[in-house]
């Protein structure tokens, strides 16, 4: 009795609850691992699959027989070998019959066995019929040749094989998935010819490296024709560790301006793909697509047609977006976890799996040869007894006729064994003719030669390996096929389009009011100042851009906030407050707006006389709190942003509140993403802080443009030649404007 067993006087076992639950859970978990969820390396099958295949072979449902109702098979499996639910058993049977689920199906079904769009749509087992496929012979051909152990079934009335004598490593060919207690398995299917070639390579050279084996096994081979885009380096790591993932992408082609999808990833439904794409179209996230059609039929099992809105749509970019946002591209987890020959589950690499399976195969072939040798020896033993009888056939007949117990007399008279004597007594009289003696001698000669061949095979490891190689090559020729999943190592990574690419591109004018209300008007021809505003509100700033481009707002603290133009309310109303979209610091209103393409340049400046040139992409902030962009000296304020036309030729015009103007080349200012910038025009800091003098206006004037200086009701037009008089070095005080124009209200750039 073990230390953990406790019995009362009545002989009833009593255990602490914690000990009982621990033992019960461990027993249950080991049962799930070993007898339900994980495949065995020998035949690559789980117990229920093995029992289904064996029961069908016992029912005579070979590949050449007639189909028989699936309910008959399920009944035999449940009643004789697998006392579990009929639904689970039938689903396991269906899986082995679906050519879109199994790379090499084991069952040939007749009737509705499901479809790639809905694998669970198969008919009930009372309607479908099934038989084994020719490939199933790989598992069953050597079953009755002494190759496997036989164990009692669940009630001890029958025997069933503990394993099937697989002639090929089915665990890699068809793969397996399963969830046990504390572990799982995900073995992808592989190509039969590639795996058989790798086995032959390993038989030729046991020192073959994993990289050399991967020259044969180039990667998984799924039942569908979608392409594997995982790089070779990652596949090598996967096979070296036994864990990793494989990325599979649908195949498509251009046809009359449309994108036609011809192959989907493993276990991906065409209906699901159409649903995902249609969902994006309904959400207006795919304006590039005009129509979506499913033209799949018997000749083209997968044919999904995507019709673009126009010929200008970049189909490559569109498909890249769909790969990233739908199941047209999927990643499959790989976990090469299986039960080894030692009966223990473990994650193994590719070489370990092939080596261990070859040990299983060599042992199986050795048992088969030994079984046949035993049969040959037994038959030769019987034939030797018959030939002895032929030497004195009359005496044998006399003994049989005259003796009450002829068996011991025959054994003593002719020096026969009991087996030989029984066989002679069971032999018909007509078989003792002279012609039969010649047949027996021919059979004896043939068996003697076969015995010599078998003994040579069993006595030589090299000959045994040669035999296994020949059988592997023969099976590869009989059942192998070309790779279905092509390897596309150079495939570009899928990339989802951002919202700006998906939005329609239309000209819009974004208008910002003094109170921080914003709206977007279609076109660039409107007069922003002429729009209606709320009482007490008025026009502040505007920018012209495209609806799919970002808009950037600057607040009084120099922080930038951004959103896409197409998300703004229409200018038909009075817009909405920006405080509903962003969270600026308390009391910090919005002072200017800018935007455009990500690379478009703008001049940002403070009225302290500092500024720098930046790009729209550096100002985009995808959060409500924005981001700090323009650093303000004490007492300084943010000036309206100025667009840059040509950084090499544009000039910056700066005017102070005291009437001084300075013109400098734009290139004199730095390119920055954030900061204070460089001094444009010299203004004493104390005067700025006290608001005695500051930068009143600033503008960027392109080459050939005029500048209109506004001063009260008067304005001053300055041509390029007029501006030359105010040119100076960056950071200087500048020159005084003419009397009457020294109080500047604004600057307007008039383009040629």
């Amino acid at each position: 009795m073990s230390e953990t067993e406790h019995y009362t006087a009545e002989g009833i076992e009593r255990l602490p609850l914690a000990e009982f639950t621990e033992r019960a859970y461990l027993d249950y978990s080991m049962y799930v691992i070993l007898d339900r969820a994980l495949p065995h390396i020998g035949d690559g099958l789980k117990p229920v699959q093995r029992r289904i295949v064996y029961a069908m072979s016992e029912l005579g449902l070979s590949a050449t027989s007639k189909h028989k109702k699936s309910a008959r098979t399920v009944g035999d499996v449940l009643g004789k070998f697998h006392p579990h639910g009929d639904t689970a058993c039938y689903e396991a049977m269906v899986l082995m019959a679906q050519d879109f689920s199994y790379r090499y199906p084991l069952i040939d079904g007749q009737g509705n066995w499901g479809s790639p769009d809905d694998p669970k749509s198969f008919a009930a087992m009372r309607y479908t019929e099934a038989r084994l496929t020719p490939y199933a012979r790989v598992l069953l051909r050597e079953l009755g040749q002494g190759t496997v152990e036989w164990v009692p079934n669940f009630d001890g009335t029958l025997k069933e094989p503990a394993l099937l004598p697989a002639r090929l490593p089915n665990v890699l060919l068809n793969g397996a998935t399963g969830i046990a207690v504390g572990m799982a398995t995900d073995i992808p299917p592989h190509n039969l010819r590639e795996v058989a070639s790798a086995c032959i390579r390993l038989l030729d050279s046991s020192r073959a490296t994993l990289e050399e084996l991967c020259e044969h096994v180039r990667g998984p081979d799924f039942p569908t024709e979608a392409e594997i885009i995982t790089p070779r380096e990652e596949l090598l790591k996967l096979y070296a560790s036994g864990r990793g993932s494989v990325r599979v992408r649908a195949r498509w082609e251009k046809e009359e301006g449309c994108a036609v999808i011809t192959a989907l990833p493993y276990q991906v439904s065409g209906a699901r793909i159409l649903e995902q794409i249609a969902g994006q179209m309904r959400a207006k996230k795919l304006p590039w697509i005009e129509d979506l059609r499913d033209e799949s039929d018997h000749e083209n099992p997968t044919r999904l047609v995507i019709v673009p809105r126009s010929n200008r749509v970049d189909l490559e970019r569109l498909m890249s977006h769909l790969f990233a946002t739908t199941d047209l591209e999927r990643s499959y987890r790989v976990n090469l976890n299986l039960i080894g020959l030692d009966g223990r589950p473990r994650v193994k690499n590719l070489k370990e799996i092939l080596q261990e399976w070859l040990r299983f195969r060599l042992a199986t072939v050795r048992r088969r040869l030994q079984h046949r040798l035993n049969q040959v020896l037994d038959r030769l033993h019987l034939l030797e007894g018959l030939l002895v009888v032929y030497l004195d056939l009359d005496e044998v007949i006399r003994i049989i006729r005259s003796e009450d117990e002829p068996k011991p007399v025959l054994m003593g008279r002719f020096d026969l064994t009991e087996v030989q004597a029984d066989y002679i007594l069971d032999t018909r009289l007509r078989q003792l003719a002279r012609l039969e003696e010649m047949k027996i001698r021919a059979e004896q000669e043939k068996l003697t030669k076969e015995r010599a061949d078998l003994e040579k095979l069993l006595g030589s490891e090299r000959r045994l390996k040669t035999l296994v190689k020949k059988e592997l090559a023969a099976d590869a020729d009989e059942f192998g096929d070309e790779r279905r999943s092509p390897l596309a190592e150079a495939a570009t990574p899928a990339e989802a389009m951002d919202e700006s690419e998906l939005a329609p591109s239309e000209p819009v004018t974004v208008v910002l009011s003094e109170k921080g209300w914003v709206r977007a008007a279609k076109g660039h021809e409107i007069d922003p100042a002429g729009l209606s505003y709320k009482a007490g509100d008025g026009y502040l700033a505007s920018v012209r851009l495209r609806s799919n481009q970002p808009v950037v707002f600057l607040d009084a603290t120099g922080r930038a906030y951004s959103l896409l133009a197409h998300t703004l309310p229409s200018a038909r109303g009075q817009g909405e407050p920006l405080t509903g979209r962003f969270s600026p610091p308390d009391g910090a209103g919005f002072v200017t707006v800018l935007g455009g393409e990500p690379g478009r340049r703008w001049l940002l400046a403070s009225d302290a006389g500092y500024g720098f040139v930046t790009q729209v992409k550096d100002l985009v902030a995808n959060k409500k709190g924005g981001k700090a962009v323009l650093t303000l000296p004490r007492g300084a304020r943010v000036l309206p942003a100025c667009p840059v036309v040509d950084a090499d030729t544009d000039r910056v015009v700066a005017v102070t509140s005291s009437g001084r103007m300075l013109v400098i080349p734009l290139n004199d200012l730095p390119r920055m993403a954030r900061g204070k910038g460089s001094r444009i025009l010299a203004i004493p800091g104390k005067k700025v802080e006290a608001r005695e003098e500051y930068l009143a206006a600033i503008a960027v004037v392109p080459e050939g443009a005029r500048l209109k200086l506004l001063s009260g009701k008067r304005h001053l037009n300055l041509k390029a030649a007029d501006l030359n008089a105010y040119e100076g070095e960056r950071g200087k005080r500048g020159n005084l404007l003419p009397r009457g124009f020294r109080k500047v209200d604004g600057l307007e750039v008039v383009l040629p």
Side-chain angles (χ1 to χ4, degrees):
M1 182 185 303
S2 67
E3 296 180 0
T4 58
E5 292 176 333
H6 311 279
Y7 292 94
T8 63
E10 293 81 10
I12 300 174
E13 184 179 9
R14 296 172 65 89
L15 289 173
L17 183 60
E19 187 178 327
F20 170 77
T21 54
E22 180 181 356
R23 182 190 297 180
Y25 186 74
L26 285 174
D27 290 344
Y28 165 74
S29 63
M30 290 308 297
Y31 163 74
V32 173
I33 291 170
L34 299 177
D35 208 36
R36 184 184 298 180
L38 300 189
H40 194 282
I41 194 170
D43 55 13
L45 300 177
K46 301 176 186 179
V48 63
Q49 296 170 329
R50 186 179 301 119
R51 288 162 177 163
I52 290 171
V53 172
Y54 174 65
M56 292 183 73
S57 71
E58 288 294 287
L59 285 170
L61 298 178
S62 67
T64 57
S65 68
K66 291 184 178 180
H67 293 79
K68 190 170 288 188
K69 286 290 184 183
S70 302
R72 173 67 189 278
T73 298
V74 173
D76 262 34
V77 173
L78 300 187
K80 294 180 178 179
F81 310 113
H82 197 73
H84 297 277
D86 59 340
T87 302
C89 180
Y90 182 51
E91 286 190 7
M93 184 176 174
V94 168
L95 191 68
M96 292 190 289
Q98 293 176 337
D99 58 2
F100 51 85
S101 296
Y102 254 47
R103 182 64 177 84
Y104 300 98
L106 295 171
I107 294 174
D108 174 18
Q110 189 168 273
N112 178 12
W113 289 82
S115 67
D117 279 345
D118 187 5
K120 299 285 187 179
S121 63
F122 51 85
M125 58 184 171
R126 61 181 177 273
Y127 299 119
T128 60
E129 298 177 343
R131 66 183 179 186
L132 294 171
T133 61
Y135 173 78
R137 294 204 303 271
V138 168
L139 303 175
L140 297 166
R141 187 180 295 172
E142 300 174 359
L143 188 58
Q145 300 178 24
T147 50
V148 295
E149 297 291 338
W150 294 80
V151 295
N153 68 340
F154 63 91
D155 61 2
T157 58
L158 296 169
K159 294 281 188 179
E160 62 175 314
L163 290 173
L164 296 181
R167 293 168 59 94
L168 290 167
N170 184 63
V171 69
L172 287 176
L173 302 185
N174 275 320
T177 59
I179 300 176
V181 179
M183 63 178 64
T185 183
D186 290 281
I187 305 174
H190 291 78
N191 184 269
L192 192 155
R193 290 178 180 172
E194 292 182 6
V195 173
S197 177
C199 289
I200 293 173
R201 175 71 174 270
L202 205 51
L203 285 170
D204 285 333
S205 174
S206 59
R207 295 182 180 179
T209 64
L210 184 73
E211 290 75 12
E212 291 173 338
L213 294 177
C214 287
E215 293 175 4
H216 302 271
V217 182
R218 297 183 293 156
D221 188 22
F222 295 96
T224 63
E225 296 180 358
E227 58 187 15
I228 297 173
I229 61 172
T230 304
R232 177 172 171 78
E233 295 75 22
E234 291 186 24
L235 291 175
L236 287 174
K237 291 179 182 177
L238 182 157
Y239 286 127
S241 64
R243 287 190 175 95
S245 63
V246 175
R247 200 149 191 84
V248 180
R249 177 181 292 180
R251 296 176 66 185
W252 69 283
E253 55 192 29
K254 294 179 183 178
E255 188 177 302
E256 297 180 355
C258 301
V260 180
I261 300 168
T262 57
L264 295 174
Y266 179 50
Q267 294 179 333
V268 170
S269 159
R272 173 66 176 159
I273 294 296
L274 295 176
E275 181 183 338
Q276 289 175 334
I277 299 176
Q280 292 190 45
M281 293 173 66
R282 285 193 297 269
K284 297 183 178 180
K285 292 184 177 180
L286 276 179
W288 289 3
I289 296 180
E290 176 71 28
D291 192 18
L292 198 62
R293 298 195 303 270
D294 185 358
E295 298 182 356
S296 305
D297 53 27
H298 290 291
E299 293 184 3
N300 303 288
T302 300
R303 183 178 168 83
L304 307 181
V305 181
I306 300 173
V307 183
R309 283 193 179 274
S310 71
N311 293 331
R312 296 192 304 272
V313 173
D314 185 350
L315 289 181
E316 296 281 352
R317 188 73 184 89
L318 173 62
M319 292 305 299
S320 179
H321 172 78
L322 294 178
F323 290 146
T325 57
T326 69
D327 285 343
L328 285 174
E329 182 175 316
R330 281 190 62 182
S331 183
Y332 297 88
R333 185 178 62 179
V334 176
N335 183 18
L336 305 181
N337 188 13
L338 38 75
I339 300 172
L341 297 180
D342 58 0
R344 296 182 178 182
R346 187 169 71 85
V347 177
K348 305 176 189 292
N349 63 36
L350 177 65
K351 184 175 180 180
E352 289 173 335
I353 292 175
L354 294 178
Q355 284 178 325
E356 195 162 342
W357 183 83
L358 285 173
R359 287 202 300 272
F360 167 80
R361 180 59 189 157
L362 288 168
T364 302
V365 172
R366 188 176 286 108
R367 293 183 63 164
R368 184 190 80 200
L369 296 176
Q370 187 62 54
H371 178 75
R372 177 56 185 164
L373 179 59
N374 293 338
Q375 288 181 326
V376 170
L377 292 174
D378 290 342
R379 181 61 179 169
L380 285 173
H381 183 60
L382 295 177
L383 294 178
E384 288 174 4
L386 280 179
L387 289 174
V388 169
V389 166
Y390 279 117
L391 297 176
D392 199 348
L393 189 57
D394 293 337
E395 179 64 14
V396 172
I397 296 173
R398 186 194 67 75
I399 292 173
I400 293 173
R401 294 180 62 185
S402 61
E403 297 292 337
D404 294 333
E405 293 290 338
K407 179 177 174 180
V409 178
L410 284 174
M411 292 172 61
R413 173 69 178 81
F414 296 102
D415 194 19
L416 301 175
T417 63
E418 185 175 353
V419 175
Q420 290 173 322
D422 285 334
Y423 185 71
I424 292 170
L425 291 172
D426 292 337
T427 302
R428 295 179 181 178
L429 187 62
R430 67 182 181 186
Q431 287 181 273
L432 300 179
R434 195 71 186 170
L435 184 62
E436 289 297 325
E437 180 184 357
M438 296 172 62
K439 289 182 179 180
I440 290 171
R441 290 190 179 278
E443 182 183 357
Q444 186 182 40
E445 183 179 349
K446 180 181 176 182
L447 291 176
T448 301
K449 183 179 182 302
E450 184 180 355
R451 178 184 65 183
D453 294 339
L454 291 170
E455 288 174 345
K456 285 181 182 178
L457 285 170
L458 289 169
S460 170
E461 189 73 16
R462 183 178 59 82
R463 291 176 185 240
L464 195 63
K465 288 183 177 181
T466 301
L467 175 62
V468 171
K469 284 193 294 184
K470 289 180 179 179
E471 291 177 349
L472 283 169
D475 288 336
D477 289 339
E478 183 177 1
F479 303 108
D481 56 6
E482 296 298 325
R483 166 175 279 276
R484 293 186 190 173
S485 301
L487 297 169
E489 298 179 12
T492 55
E495 183 180 358
M497 290 184 283
D498 57 31
E499 197 172 352
S500 63
E501 290 182 273
L502 294 171
S505 178
E506 300 172 340
V508 294
T509 302
V510 177
V511 182
L512 178 65
S513 75
E514 295 173 351
K515 299 293 185 182
W517 285 62
V518 67
R519 48 189 153 168
K522 289 186 178 181
H524 291 166
E525 294 77 23
I526 68 157
D527 176 18
L531 297 175
S532 64
Y533 294 89
K534 288 180 175 292
D537 199 2
Y539 170 75
L540 177 63
S542 64
V543 63
R544 294 171 177 173
L545 36 68
R546 311 289 296 184
S547 58
N548 63 341
Q549 293 174 343
V551 187
V552 178
F553 304 90
L554 290 183
D555 69 11
T557 67
R559 298 185 70 82
Y561 310 81
S562 65
L563 44 78
L564 291 174
H566 73 87
T567 64
L568 294 174
S570 170
R572 293 174 182 171
Q574 292 180 332
E576 65 178 54
L578 280 175
T579 50
R581 302 279 189 106
F582 308 122
S583 301
D586 293 340
F590 295 92
V591 296
T592 188
V593 59
L594 57 112
E597 297 177 358
R600 186 178 181 185
R601 297 184 183 277
W602 288 79
L603 170 63
L604 301 185
S606 66
D607 64 3
Y610 293 88
F612 61 90
V613 177
T614 188
Q615 292 180 293
V616 172
K617 64 182 179 182
D618 296 326
L619 304 176
V620 173
N622 297 317
K623 54 184 180 180
K624 294 188 68 175
K627 68 178 181 179
V629 173
L630 184 61
T631 303
L632 298 176
R634 187 183 299 272
R637 298 175 183 174
V638 178
L639 290 176
C642 301
V644 175
V645 177
D646 187 341
D648 294 328
T649 59
D650 287 357
R651 292 190 288 180
V652 178
V653 178
V655 181
T656 67
S657 59
S658 61
R660 289 183 174 274
M661 185 167 80
L662 179 67
V663 179
I664 64 172
L666 181 71
N667 276 334
D668 286 358
L669 295 180
R671 272 66 170 166
M672 301 171 60
R674 57 187 295 178
K676 178 181 176 181
S678 296
R679 186 186 294 273
I680 302 172
L681 183 145
I683 303 175
K686 292 182 179 180
K687 288 191 175 184
V688 174
E689 188 174 348
R691 305 304 294 170
E692 295 176 0
E693 185 179 1
Y694 50 86
L695 196 60
I698 192 169
V700 175
V701 183
E703 187 176 19
R706 292 185 296 110
L707 183 69
K708 182 186 288 188
L709 189 148
L710 305 177
S711 180
K713 294 183 178 180
R714 296 185 298 173
H715 65 270
L716 179 65
N717 285 317
L718 299 173
K719 298 180 180 179
D722 300 326
L723 293 176
N724 293 340
Y726 295 91
E727 282 189 344
E729 295 182 13
R730 181 183 62 80
K732 299 299 182 181
R733 287 286 287 162
N735 298 327
L736 283 170
L737 288 164
R739 290 183 182 276
F741 294 98
R742 292 180 181 176
K743 186 179 179 181
V744 178
D745 296 322
L747 299 174
E748 288 185 7
V749 177
V750 181
L751 297 175

